[in-house]
Amino acid sequence: MNDADEHRTTGRRAFAQRLGIRLPSRGSWGTDHRGHSRFRRGRVLAALAVLVACLLAFHRAVPNAVGRIGSLLETFLPWLGLAVPLLLIAALLRRSVTALVALVLPVAAWSFLFAPLLPPSSGEQAGLVAVQHNVSDVNTDPAGTARALLRVRPDLVAVEEVTPAGLPAYEKELARHLPYHAVVGTVGLWSAHPLEDVRPVDIKPRGFGPGWNRALRATAVTPQGPVAVHVAHLPSVRLGPRHGFSSASRDESARLLGAALAAEREASVILLGDLNGTVDDRGLDPVLAQVTVTGPGFAFSWPASFPVARIDQILARSAAVTRVRSLPATGSDHLPIAATITL
């Protein structure tokens, strides 16, 4: 460094000190005061970044044998992305080039999985508007909930956890715009188009009582042709210290629902339901093998107070599901979701 360069460097450091800014020493990103390479710094941070990337990219490799850890991870998989800004801050504080380079891996893995969900659909799209909502069996305002579901002017509304006490309110309010409906057990379907061939679907796991009826199918006669509409409410999952993520009953019910969808004779199929799982959860594979995953939109639906996962689903076969979004809260612990379906 010549005298002019040294003078300019000294001037910059003096100016920075007056502003209260501490500039890194010369070569601080390369070698420390003992001459050791700073590429060795942050190796633990780099290892954590690689671990996050592996969990994102290879989440199916996480075993489900003990506590169904794999399904638990997949339920909250998008939130692993929060590790990236935390590791970035730590890498900057450590001035670790190695950690910064390693962060490219989780960013790439998250982007590959979830970036397609980020861009909102632009403009209105023609098609059926469907609404899915677990209305909650302790909902104290079923009439208000029904009116809230009608605000998006839906063609189809599927509800779960309908109680005998709340059913008259849903029938009265929803019938104002959706004159056709069918109810089986605790699930119901309201439609702007005639419904035919309504029947229950047996998705009851072993050991559940005879009064457990939580699925139906009907044929909606639309201007575009007949469409088989399935409404289902799979068993809940549990998270506890003794058994971990307990989803055996949900998974058994998913296999039965998948078989029913596979046997469906109508070319176009719509599935609306509280599946108690995300589309990344391998426990729903038998269902997802028969329908396609939805388009852009995270549309987290549970819990309503702070939604972290979409366990309510609108899926279809031989149809495109787009413009998926969450709707404002009702008297339920779930948020309603809505989507446009192009047959």
Side-chain angles (χ1 to χ4, degrees):
M1 180 184 294
N2 57 37
D3 292 342
D5 290 338
E6 185 174 0
H7 177 74
R8 284 194 294 269
T9 301
T10 303
R12 285 197 297 267
R13 291 190 177 280
F15 179 72
Q17 288 175 356
R18 285 196 295 270
L19 295 177
I21 301 173
R22 181 184 177 185
L23 293 177
S25 60
R26 182 171 178 254
S28 63
W29 285 84
T31 57
D32 60 21
H33 67 281
R34 292 171 297 182
H36 295 159
S37 171
R38 297 212 176 201
F39 284 95
R40 299 173 59 185
R41 279 189 173 187
R43 286 180 293 182
V44 172
L45 294 175
L48 289 174
V50 172
L51 175 61
V52 172
C54 289
L55 289 175
L56 284 165
F58 307 110
H59 56 90
R60 292 277 173 154
V62 178
N64 244 357
V66 179
R68 306 197 73 78
I69 298 300
S71 286
L72 178 61
L73 168 67
E74 289 159 348
T75 299
F76 303 104
L77 196 61
W79 296 97
L80 274 182
L82 291 179
V84 172
L86 296 178
L87 290 172
L88 174 61
I89 293 172
L92 291 174
L93 291 175
R94 287 284 293 163
R95 297 176 182 173
S96 170
V97 175
T98 303
L100 289 174
V101 172
L103 277 174
V104 173
L105 296 175
V107 169
W110 193 96
S111 299
F112 177 79
L113 291 173
F114 301 113
L117 298 179
L118 292 176
S121 300
S122 58
E124 293 294 327
Q125 294 177 314
L128 297 175
V129 176
V131 170
Q132 149 61 29
H133 191 28
N134 180 327
V135 295
S136 175
D137 55 7
V138 294
N139 192 328
T140 59
D141 186 18
T145 296
R147 289 192 293 269
L149 302 182
L150 292 174
R151 288 173 188 155
V152 294
R153 304 181 68 179
D155 300 282
L156 296 169
V157 169
V159 292
E160 299 81 41
E161 292 196 11
V162 177
T163 64
L167 179 57
Y170 292 113
E171 289 179 326
K172 178 182 177 182
E173 296 298 332
L174 293 175
R176 297 179 189 274
H177 299 281
L178 304 172
Y180 307 99
H181 82 280
V183 176
V184 171
T186 58
V187 300
L189 173 66
W190 272 259
S191 172
H193 308 290
L195 297 176
E196 299 178 350
D197 194 17
V198 177
R199 60 178 184 267
V201 177
D202 184 10
I203 61 169
K204 181 173 59 181
R206 289 166 292 182
F208 282 54
W212 197 91
N213 299 304
R214 289 172 39 165
L216 67 82
R217 67 86 61 203
T219 300
V221 184
T222 75
Q224 292 79 24
V227 181
V229 183
H230 286 248
V231 180
H233 184 192
L234 301 190
S236 299
V237 297
R238 296 287 183 267
L239 181 62
R242 290 189 59 188
H243 304 291
F245 190 73
S246 177
S247 64
S249 296
R250 191 278 313 272
D251 295 351
E252 182 181 351
S253 191
R255 289 191 290 271
L256 295 170
L257 177 58
L261 293 171
E264 182 59 62
R265 295 184 177 181
E266 295 290 351
S268 297
V269 178
I270 296 173
L271 171 61
L272 308 164
D274 175 3
L275 304 188
N276 272 305
T278 69
V279 294
D280 297 304
D281 189 336
R282 71 193 72 175
L284 297 185
D285 281 355
V287 174
L288 298 174
Q290 305 301 325
V291 290
T292 56
V293 178
T294 58
F298 280 100
F300 293 144
S301 65
W302 179 87
S305 56
F306 187 77
V308 296
R310 188 208 303 171
I311 62 175
D312 297 271
Q313 306 294 345
I314 299 177
L315 306 167
R317 183 170 74 208
S318 297
V321 180
T322 59
R323 206 165 171 263
V324 186
R325 68 271 191 200
S326 302
L327 300 180
T330 66
S332 171
D333 58 337
H334 292 238
L335 293 181
I337 66 169
T340 301
I341 303 173
T342 305
L343 300 175

